[in-house]
Amino acid sequence: MTMGTQGLLSRGKRRLLILLCILEVFFIQMTSISAGRSSPSTQNLQVQTQLKLLNKPAVKSIKSPDGDIIDCIKITHQPAFDHPLLQNHTIQMTPNFYPEGVFGQNKVSSRMKKGSRTITQMWHLNGRCPQGTISVRRTKEDDLLRASSIKAFGRKKHRSVPQPRSADPDLISQSGHQHAIAYVDGDKYYGAKGTMNVWEPKIQQSNEFSLSQIWILGGSFGEDLNSIEAGWQVSPDLYGDNNTRLFTYWTSDAYQATGCYNLLCSGFIQINNEIAMGASIYPLSKYHGSQYDISILVWKDPKEGNWWMQFGNDYVLGYWPGFLFSYLADSASMIEWGGEVVNSESDGQHTSTQMGSGHFPKEGFGRASYFKNIQIVDGSNNLRAPKGLATFTEQSDCYDVHIGKGGNWGSYFYFGGPGRSPNCP
């Protein structure tokens, strides 16, 4: 059922959107430079202004056991609507279409039986958000102060997407990002799904991170790359701790001027009050112990053109409006599943930041990180196993990936590794 929506905008309007975003980033950058030259009181004022922009008035606030504050804000007050092209947007409360095969015979989505739900995020231990609101992790002053600038807060660095066709060592060393992924390309893709187990990898230093995610990619790997990303991550710089957290990301220009993590800029429209992006996931997998995993589905609504995200079987979280993108306004040209870390090469050595469980794929179930039941959404809006699945890693002695197929796991792979070791100096 739909409360109405806007259609896809023209290419000219998309160009206007990108220009507006570039101007916004330029203004923030100038503000950040100015802050570096100004008095502490002026800088503090600028930080407080940004916090006010990010943290909308709450109907209710919940203190999570991990120290987070989850604000329940009115759905119409969320950061998405700060976007100039979303000022008069009518929220689409449910997708018009789901990919065939998501629920089998049971097409129920977010209206599952209450008794079937388990704790999926730490803050649930202390409360829930009321209907008509969405749950948002509050940004704190310390979060902004950890960033190199207001401009940099909530954004990835340029060239952080794995390029399987180009393992140029110069590019690898410049970007500082390393990956272990499975991928498909060469077709039109309208979504992807995967189930990944959740770990708490150790991070060597705060400016590094480790994540496990799905990439939905469109365009070339140049300045025009479109990307939608979702999974779990450990990022001390972004969150101020080593907790494992659910996250999303998007960009329409290769991480230059558009996009951000979670709800830290306008763009993604959240409709769900039970899951907070950026909040801690609970419980976590243990080595030689119980394994806990999460499922993520991202797909394009063939009627409205919006890209939707579902977490598990119970929670449709929201959507990225189609007009945010150029290439993804049509379809994706590549899908990637797997892990990524930042390797800052402190003291000239490879980082010891772990990917996945911190163990190599050959160790298998209960010890290594996995993706199972990976699927793509085809042009007929059907979920199906990926054809021509390939793998890529820059340094297999540091982080590796092994694919397999069969049984209840369908198409699957193990991935990850410890980083620095005698074979990965």
Side-chain angles (χ1 to χ4, degrees):
M1 186 170 110
T2 310
M3 291 175 58
T5 186
Q6 297 174 326
L8 294 178
L9 300 185
S10 67
R11 185 173 295 274
K13 287 188 177 180
R14 292 194 197 104
R15 290 193 184 118
L16 174 61
L17 160 67
I18 292 173
L19 177 60
L20 287 169
C21 289
I22 291 171
L23 289 173
E24 177 188 2
V25 170
F26 176 77
F27 173 75
I28 292 172
Q29 187 175 27
M30 292 301 100
T31 303
S32 301
I33 292 170
S34 174
R37 298 169 180 163
S38 59
S39 65
S41 59
T42 304
Q43 184 175 4
N44 181 64
L45 178 61
Q46 291 163 340
V47 168
Q48 296 306 318
T49 300
Q50 184 69 7
L51 288 174
K52 187 175 181 180
L53 180 67
L54 291 172
N55 297 321
K56 307 302 182 182
V59 173
K60 176 183 178 181
S61 295
I62 300 165
K63 181 71 179 292
S64 175
D66 61 4
D68 280 357
I69 297 174
I70 304 300
D71 288 326
C72 309
I73 66 171
K74 289 184 178 179
I75 190 170
T76 53
H77 292 176
Q78 62 182 293
F81 300 117
D82 292 336
H83 197 292
L85 295 178
L86 286 170
Q87 295 296 316
N88 299 312
H89 182 81
T90 304
I91 301 171
Q92 188 179 349
M93 295 304 295
T94 58
N96 288 294
F97 296 93
Y98 291 91
E100 291 297 321
V102 173
F103 305 111
Q105 296 302 311
N106 178 17
K107 295 287 183 73
V108 179
S109 59
S110 57
R111 297 178 295 278
M112 301 290 282
K113 293 179 180 179
K114 294 285 185 183
S116 68
R117 293 182 177 177
T118 57
I119 294 174
T120 54
Q121 291 191 307
M122 190 76 73
W123 66 275
H124 290 167
L125 293 167
N126 289 343
R128 299 287 178 122
C129 284
Q131 293 296 319
T133 69
I134 63 166
S135 48
V136 181
R137 179 183 182 268
R138 184 184 299 179
T139 300
K140 300 176 183 178
E141 184 174 340
D142 286 348
D143 295 332
L144 286 177
L145 293 176
R146 278 192 308 274
S148 57
S149 68
I150 292 177
K151 175 201 171 190
F153 178 67
R155 298 179 186 271
K156 280 190 178 185
K157 293 181 179 178
H158 189 35
R159 296 193 183 280
S160 62
V161 172
Q163 296 182 245
R165 301 297 186 193
S166 174
D168 181 350
D170 290 336
L171 180 62
I172 295 167
S173 62
Q174 286 170 13
S175 72
H177 290 246
Q178 291 187 250
H179 310 83
I181 64 165
Y183 70 95
V184 290
D185 63 356
D187 203 349
K188 287 190 172 185
Y189 308 100
Y190 297 86
K193 188 175 188 289
T195 298
M196 65 197 92
N197 56 348
V198 185
W199 297 86
E200 191 175 41
K202 290 182 172 59
I203 312 298
Q204 180 177 309
Q205 52 195 57
S206 63
N207 64 336
E208 298 178 335
F209 65 66
S210 181
L211 59 75
S212 175
Q213 69 170 52
I214 300 172
W215 288 262
I216 313 284
L217 301 170
S220 69
F221 284 87
E223 307 301 297
D224 61 352
L225 180 72
N226 290 195
S227 183
I228 290 173
E229 305 166 25
W232 60 260
Q233 69 179 161
V234 177
S235 179
D237 252 7
L238 185 58
Y239 302 106
D241 57 33
N242 291 302
N243 292 347
T244 304
R245 298 171 176 276
L246 175 70
F247 83 96
T248 62
Y249 200 96
W250 71 273
T251 181
S252 62
D253 62 355
Y255 309 97
Q256 295 176 98
T258 62
C260 61
Y261 283 108
N262 306 325
L263 300 183
L264 296 176
C265 66
S266 56
F268 183 84
I269 297 173
Q270 186 166 324
I271 63 167
N272 189 283
N273 66 331
E274 297 184 81
I275 299 295
M277 291 190 293
S280 300
I281 299 172
Y282 173 86
L284 302 175
S285 300
K286 300 293 184 186
Y287 187 77
H288 272 309
S290 299
Q291 300 299 296
Y292 296 94
D293 53 38
I294 61 172
S295 294
I296 287 176
L297 167 65
V298 176
W299 80 100
K300 187 181 179 188
D301 184 328
K303 180 179 179 181
E304 305 294 343
N306 301 323
W307 287 87
W308 285 83
M309 177 181 171
Q310 178 167 305
F311 178 72
N313 292 322
D314 299 359
Y315 307 102
V316 177
L317 300 191
Y319 59 95
W320 291 268
F323 72 76
L324 293 173
F325 306 101
S326 51
Y327 293 99
L328 288 179
D330 176 37
S331 62
S333 54
M334 178 179 282
I335 306 292
E336 299 175 347
W337 302 260
E340 176 184 356
V341 301
V342 171
N343 174 26
S344 60
E345 295 189 55
S346 177
D347 300 323
Q349 292 184 306
H350 193 285
T351 184
S352 60
T353 288
Q354 299 173 336
M355 182 188 292
S357 68
H359 294 263
F360 283 114
K362 62 184 180 183
E363 293 196 40
F365 184 78
R367 295 170 290 276
S369 193
Y370 62 75
F371 262 88
K372 65 180 182 179
N373 298 123
I374 62 173
Q375 296 174 293
I376 58 94
V377 181
D378 64 18
S380 300
N381 201 36
N382 291 308
L383 271 171
R384 61 171 175 80
K387 294 179 181 177
L389 190 66
T391 63
F392 170 77
T393 182
E394 291 92 346
Q395 291 179 269
S396 59
D397 287 335
C398 305
Y399 313 107
D400 205 2
V401 54
H402 294 165
I403 58 175
K405 188 174 182 179
N408 294 332
W409 279 33
S411 293
Y412 68 90
F413 62 93
Y414 288 99
F415 70 99
R420 187 170 71 238
S421 70
N423 294 325
C424 175

